[in-house]
């Protein structure tokens, strides 16, 4: 069976080779991303690179799942920076969000207020329309990267309601009758912490990828980039080792500490001047600033019992 | 197939689509991954836009695209690995070339370093000095000094073993380097070929992939008989039409209305389409892959319904009717939802049974089905024997696709199920193994056996085979996707069997296939068209092999296709043909065409690589082979073939000292001479080691007993490099009789042997008594085997005893030499040269000399005879007579003696016995026997001596005659002078040298009167002649000195005046008056004739003499005939020049 036997399908509306993602942290123009700091530097494994390129090619959203702190959100910025696109259009999902909020929001309250005070601006509805991430991407007409973060926080219908807009790349503002359509599909990155099972139809329209939790050596590398320069590498190694013990399956923590918590913990260790040797030899119960890592009473009890 | 059906059909279900990864996606669905139409489209979109063809990214991409969670990701990746096993990754040389070069250099350097280290293990020699002669002569007393023999030179010293040789590094290195270069070139060539082949493969693959138009074609099959008989459909439609009332239709028939309006003079008429003849029929078709073989039949059935205006709506489901859809682009809906909208319709499910299992497991679906009042199930498998058991448990009646079955379905759907007769007895027979085999044979003939074409072949050529045979083929795995695929081996077997059993049938089928292919020609210029050409050419070749047509066109077409992107398919197709005849030629041509580069290469495709460096593996192999070869070369070509490691000759000093004891021949002392000479050495006598010792800076001494004397002694020690450190070879002479006798005496008398002189008397000087003398005699007898009486011992000196023993021991031989020349005993001097160089000489006839026995060369010198050498042997006798016989030579010697002062050898003429005369060179002559005459003739005397030559003898011829005349040389001073002698004389001649005017008079002793005339003047004188004496007299005529003149004259030659000038007296003038006699005449004066007037003009020139003419006078010359005139003017006196 050969790839060349593919039957003609509708043309892909962009040159995929132009948007080939490498995941090596290379940034064409780094000055554009100074506002995001380290988010421009992202090293992706080959599976993730292939998943991103697949999403770009087929024009489907990329659903990225994984534990907190595995770099799901940074992925969108990495894509945008490597492909030389404009800054990422972010949408951070809340539980009260509906699908339309990803496109636009009408500030009716403010308009009502203006109407009450006889402000003439109330006559113009467009003054009160704020286009959200996906809506802005469609309106702009160019290639954009849209991040819909933590979609599992939203209502159950939220994902399914998004499908048509993502498929068709068009939407209408009913109140004004304005229609927007984009020739180019945005690169949509949807993240999920797997707190809730997403509906199957939505999943079938997404390119799926699960980011595994970083290995210890990757953690050391990440910490080296995220922490201030000059942190003792021995301290980082000891902290990562203890962090790995806490995340061990045998401990069965309900809430395993994530990378972000590890960074906070390490900053506290640095600030307190903890000796790396003592940290490495310390039992789990004796770890300083455990509260930065363990956020649950039950988990704290498990740690104490495991130690005793 | 109607257009409506085509539009409604999901794309994956279209028989004309060969979707990529279709089977793989089907397999994924079997593993629980929900792959639907949407996923197919996504995969196709991915593949179309996918810029790379690497396996891993595609694997990840498919997993990311199709999976809904991580578990499915793993499932898809695992399935992908099973379906598409990983192949070894190709090494990208272009990007790794610097690395390859670095690795190659590293390998070569490492190899060289290893070789260097390996060679350094061999101890290379340091430069050893060349030493002096290895032989040191040992002074010794000459045992034959009484006979004055020369000291015999020593025999050659024992040879040392040849010096070892160091290993040669250059030759192995050069050989290894050459081999490395050769291997590298071979590796580069192989890699270049592979790269070119890969490039060609890639280029052709790219050509294949980038070709425009379709890549495959579908054979267009025209059915001989309809798939569903029209009578069946009429029957079904009739039954279905009985159900509803015959009410008018509600849909306007526009065309018919217009037609009627026009017919009625534009009076409006409305016509309505006839109403459907049946209750609304909801057709629910299973699109599971197991339904593919029956799809055409189902399509024909549905098309028949439409043709008979059976109102129906077609929906689809994939194995599980829980979710159904009407259009591929629409969302599937639950069956219950469909029931909500179409519950009033009659339901017809078309499925083979896959759906039955899903229905059985899903109570909801069962309930929904039960809620349909009028429902039925059509199984395309006509023979219920092949149905699954779960069909019996369905809440719906299942009917086979037979006439009775369709009739039963029609009654069910016409809402009169009670009429239906469940007895469907017209089922086909069961499938047998023979049916499967025959069906395979039919399939084997088809180049691209689609289900439609295979089924058409079955209907045409094997209609007795039940159509359920396809179930067996599916079970065997022969039906994949839309086509049958049989293993190559089975394909060959089937074709061979078919050709053997029914060749005419094969030909008939292939002709039909050619007709099908003719109707199936795809778009020209597309890849599909190339494949179509391949199939046509193959079928034509098969037909041509039967002899009906020529094979050349088909072979040509296949050869041309083999050079293109379809080369593998062409080779595969040709390989399946039975070999022999044209096929063998074809296979060769196809293979060659496939090996060549494409005839035309697109300009943007680049060029095939001309050269490729060897890869890492190749370089590793080259380095390994080079190193292996290097070691082998070093062993076979470099082992001991290098520079010679010379022996160290002056490492030790071996000195021979006089023995301190009487019984020893000598004492040897060993001294290390060179620093570093080994302490451990061996002492060799000739070629045998006799002792080994260690000396550490001390002198090592060894007494050499007499029985070991008479040989070369040498110290040898082996150096680490294999060469030897040696001393000079010292000759220890054997003990002489004198030494042995003195040793016996000293031993018996118990005195130091060195105190016993040879002249000592035993009794007087050594105080030997009778007992000791007797003991001495006994020991002498023991050692020499000679008995010397005591009386002799009492009265002789020690040297007498020695001499006596010498004589008795044949230490020398008394030789009497006698020399015979021919048959005459002669006196000669004989020199005897011993083979060891001793020289003995004897001069007199019969003289005796004492010489050691042995081989001699006798040099015999006989007076008057040349030196003769003879080899003689003098045996070990007490006395020996040596007779030397010399054959006389064949020539005799002639010695000529001329004791005369004035006779030179050139004056002697020898008349040989042969009569020939020769001048004597002053040396003795070797002449053949005979008479020889020596003739001497000089101015003073003549003589002839005759002698007889005897072979081997010398003949002396003495020439000494008495003088007979003397010689007087008369100097006249002018060549023109004339001399006359009065009286008798032997001869008077003028010296031939012109101008000197010397005359020679030979005459007997006496006084002679001589007259000299010159220019008219005369002078007379008297000279005395003495025999044997030459005297000289100046008798020049005193006169006025003759001026020398220059004569300038001219003459006419053919009226041209020619100037000539001659000068000096008697000068010669040459001209071309060859043979002309001219008369020289003074102008205005008398003609000069005679000696002064006549000149000869000949080839040698003009000779004239003008004795007394002055300057300014003219001469003229005319020839005798008067026709020539020579004018001459005396220009000036000769004294002027």
């Amino acid at each position: 069976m050969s790839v060349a036997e593919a039957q003609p399908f509708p043309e892909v509306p962009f040159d995929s080779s132009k948007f080939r993602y490498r995941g090596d942290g290379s940034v064409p123009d780094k000055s554009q991303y100074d506002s995001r700091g380290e988010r421009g530097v992202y090293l992706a494994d080959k599976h993730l690179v292939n998943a991103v390129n697949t999403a770009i090619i087929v024009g489907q959203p990329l659903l990225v799942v994984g534990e907190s702190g595995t770099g799901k959100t940074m992925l969108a910025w990495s894509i945008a920076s490597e492909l030389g696109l404009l800054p990422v259009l972010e949408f951070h999902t809340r539980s009260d969000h509906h699908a339309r909020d990803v496109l636009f929001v009408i500030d009716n309250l403010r308009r009502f207020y203006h109407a009450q005070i006889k402000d003439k601006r109330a006559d113009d509805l467009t003054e009160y329309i704020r286009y959200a991430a996906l809506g802005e991407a469609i309106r702009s007409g160019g290639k954009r990267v849209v991040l819909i973060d933590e979609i599992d926080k939203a209502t159950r219908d939220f994902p399914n309601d998004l499908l048509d807009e993502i498929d068709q790349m068009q939407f209408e503002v009913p109140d004004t009758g304005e229609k927007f359509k984009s020739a180019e599909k945005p690169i949509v990155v949807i993240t999920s912490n797997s707190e809730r099972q997403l509906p199957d139809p939505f999943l079938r329209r997404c390119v799926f990828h699960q980011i595994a939790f970083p290995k210890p050596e990757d953690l050391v590398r990440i910490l080296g980039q995220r922490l201030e320069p000059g942190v003792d590498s021995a301290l980082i190694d000891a902290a990562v080792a203890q962090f790995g013990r806490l995340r061990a399956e045998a401990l069965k923590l309900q809430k395993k500490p994530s990378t972000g918590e590890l960074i906070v913990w390490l900053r506290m260790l640095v600030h307190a001047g903890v000796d790396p040797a003592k940290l490495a030899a310390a039992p789990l119960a004796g770890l300083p600033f455990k509260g930065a890592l363990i956020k649950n009473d039950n988990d704290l009890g498990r740690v104490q019992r495991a130690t005793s | 197939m109607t257009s409506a059906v085509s539009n409604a059909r999901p794309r994956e279900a279209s028989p004309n689509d060969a979707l990529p990864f279709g089977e793989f996606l089907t397999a994924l669905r079997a593993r629980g991954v929900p792959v639907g139409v949407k996923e197919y489209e996504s995969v196709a979109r991915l593949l179309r836009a996918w810029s790379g063809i690497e396996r891993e990214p595609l694997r990840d991409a498919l997993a990311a695209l199709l999976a809904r969670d991580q578990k499915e990701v793993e499932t898809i990746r695992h399935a992908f690995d099973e379906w598409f096993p990983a192949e070894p990754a190709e090494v990208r040389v272009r990007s790794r070339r610097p690395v390859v070069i670095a690795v190659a250099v590293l390998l070569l350097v490492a190899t060289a370093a290893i070789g260097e280290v390996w060679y350094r293990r061999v101890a290379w020699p340091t430069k050893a000095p060349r030493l002096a002669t290895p032989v040191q002569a040992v002074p010794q007393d000459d045992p034959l000094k009484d006979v004055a023999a020369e000291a015999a030179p020593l025999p050659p010293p024992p040879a040392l073993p040849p010096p070892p040789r160091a290993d040669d590094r250059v030759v192995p290195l050069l050989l290894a380097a050459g081999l490395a270069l050769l291997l590298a070139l071979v590796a580069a060539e192989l890699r270049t070929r592979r790269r070119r082949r890969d490039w060609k493969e890639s280029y052709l693959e790219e050509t294949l992939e980038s070709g425009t138009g379709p890549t495959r074609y579908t054979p267009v099959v025209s059915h001989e008989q309809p798939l569903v008989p029209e009578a069946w459909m009429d029957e079904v439609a009739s039954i279905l039409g009985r159900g509803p009332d015959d009410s008018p239709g509600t849909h306007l028939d526009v065309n018919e209305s217009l037609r009627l309006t026009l017919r009625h003079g534009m009076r409006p008429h409305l016509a309505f389409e006839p109403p459907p003849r049946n209750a609304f029929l909801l057709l629910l078709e299973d699109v599971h892959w197991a339904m593919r073989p029956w799809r055409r039949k189902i399509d024909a059935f549905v098309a028949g319904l439409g043709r008979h205006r059976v109102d129906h709506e077609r929906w689809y489901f994939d194995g599980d009717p829980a979710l159904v859809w009407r259009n591929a682009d629409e969302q599937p809906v639950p069956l219950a939802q469909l029931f909500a909208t179409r519950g009033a319709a009659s339901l017809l499910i078309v499925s083979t049974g896959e759906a039955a299992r899903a229905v059985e497991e899903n109570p909801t679906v069962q309930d929904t089905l039960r809620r349909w009042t009028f429902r039925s199930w059509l199984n395309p498998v006509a023979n219920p024997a092949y149905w699954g058991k779960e069909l019996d448990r369905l809440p719906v009646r299942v009917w086979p696709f037979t006439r009775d079955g369709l009739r039963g379905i029609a009654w069910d759907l016409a809402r009169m199920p009670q009429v239906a007769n469940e007895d469907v007895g017209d089922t086909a027979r069961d499938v047998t193994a023979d049916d499967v085999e025959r069906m395979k044979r039919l399939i084997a003939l088809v180049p691209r056996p689609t289900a439609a074409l295979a089924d058409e072949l079955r209907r045409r050529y094997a209609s007795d085979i039940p159509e359920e045979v396809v179930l067996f083929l599916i079970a065997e795995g022969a039906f994949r996707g839309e086509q049958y695929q049989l293993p190559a081996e089975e394909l060959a077997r089937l074709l061979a069997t078919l050709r053997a059993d029914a060749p005419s049938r094969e030909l008939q089928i292939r002709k039909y296939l050619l007709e099908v292919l003719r109707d199936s020609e795809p778009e020209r210029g597309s890849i599909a068209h190339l494949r179509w050409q391949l199939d046509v050419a193959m079928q034509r070749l098969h037909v041509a092999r039967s002899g009906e047509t020529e094979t050349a066109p088909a072979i040509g077409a296949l050869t041309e296709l083999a050079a293109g992107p379809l080369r593998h398919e062409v080779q595969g197709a040709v390989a399946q043909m039975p070999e022999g005849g044209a096929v063998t030629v074809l296979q060769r041509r196809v293979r060659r065409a496939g090996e060549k580069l494409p005839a035309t290469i697109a300009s943007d495709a680049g060029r095939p690589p001309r050269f490729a460096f060897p890869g890492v593996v190749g370089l590793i192999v080259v380095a390994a082979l080079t190193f292996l070869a290097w070691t082998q070369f070093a062993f076979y070509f470099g082992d001991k073939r290098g520079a010679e490691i010379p022996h160290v000759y002056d490492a030790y000093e071996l000195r021979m000292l006089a023995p301190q004891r009487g019984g020893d021949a000598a004492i040897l002392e060993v001294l290390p001479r060179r620093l570093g000479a080994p302490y451990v050495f061996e002492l060799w006598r000739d070629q045998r080691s006799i002792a080994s010792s260690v000396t550490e800076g001390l002198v090592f001494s060894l007494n050499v007993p007499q029985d070991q004397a008479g040989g070369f002694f040498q110290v040898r020690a082996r150096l680490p490099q294999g060469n030897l450190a040696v001393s000079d070879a010292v000759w220890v002479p054997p003990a002489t009789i004198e030494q042995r006798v003195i040793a016996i005496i000293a031993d018996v008398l118990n005195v130091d042997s060195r105190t016993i002189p040879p002249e000592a008397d035993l009794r007087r000087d050594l105080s030997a008594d009778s007992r000791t003398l007797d003991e001495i005699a006994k020991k002498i007898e023991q050692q020499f085997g000679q008995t010397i009486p005591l009386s002799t011992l009492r009265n002789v000196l020690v040297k007498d005893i020695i001499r006596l023993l010498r004589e008795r021991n044949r230490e020398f031989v008394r030789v009497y030499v006698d020399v015979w020349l021919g048959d005459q005993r002669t006196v000669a001097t004989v020199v005897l040269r011993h083979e060891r160089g001793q020289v003995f000489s004897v001069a007199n006839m019969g003289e005796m000399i004492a010489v050691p026995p042995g081989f001699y060369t006798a040099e015999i010198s006989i007076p008057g005879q040349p030196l003769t050498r003879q080899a003689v042997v003098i045996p070990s006798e007490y006395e020996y007579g040596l007779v030397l016989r010399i054959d006389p030579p064949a020539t005799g010697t002639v010695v000529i003696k001329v004791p005369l002062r004035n006779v030179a050898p050139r004056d002697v003429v020898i008349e040989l016995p042969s009569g020939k005369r020769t001048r004597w060179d002053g040396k003795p002559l070797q002449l053949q026997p005979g008479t020889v005459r020596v003739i001497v003739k000089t101015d003073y005397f003549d003589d002839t001596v005759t002698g007889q030559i005897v072979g081997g003898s010398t003949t002396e011829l003495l020439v000494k005659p008495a003088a007979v005349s003397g010689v007087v040389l008369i100097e006249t001073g002018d060549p023109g002078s004339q001399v006359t002698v009065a009286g008798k004389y032997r001869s008077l001649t003028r010296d031939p040298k012109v101008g000197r005017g010397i005359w020679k008079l030979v005459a007997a002793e006496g006084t002679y009167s001589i007259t000299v005339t010159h220019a008219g003047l005369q002078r007379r004188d008297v000279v005395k002649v003495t025999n044997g004496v030459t005297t000289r007299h100046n008798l020049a005529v005193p006169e006025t000195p003759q001026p020398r003149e220059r004569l300038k004259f001219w003459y006419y030659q053919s009226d041209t005046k020619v100037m000539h000038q001659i000068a000096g007296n008697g000068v010669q003038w040459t001209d071309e008056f060859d043979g002309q006699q001219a008369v020289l005449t003074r102008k205005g004066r008398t003609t000069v004739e005679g000696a002064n007037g006549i000149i000869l003009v000949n080839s040698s020139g003009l000779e004239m003499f003008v004795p007394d003419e002055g300057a300014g006078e003219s001469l003229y010359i005319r020839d005798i005939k008067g026709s020539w005139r020579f004018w001459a003017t005396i220009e000036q006196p000769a004294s002027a020049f």
Side-chain angles (χ1 to χ4, degrees), chain B residues 54 147 188 232 270 319 352 391 481 515 530 750 854 894 983 1086 1098:
Chain B
E54 296 87 356
V147 292
W232 296 13
L270 296 179
T352 55
L391 288 174
E515 292 177 5
L530 291 179
N750 195 20
V894 175
T1086 59
N1098 51 33

Side-chain angles (χ1 to χ4, degrees), chain A residues 101 103-107 126-132:
Chain A
D101 297 335
L103 299 170
F104 62 91
V105 175
I106 300 176
D107 192 351
T126 57
E127 286 288 322
Y128 305 95
I129 298 176
R130 288 186 290 104
Y131 293 96

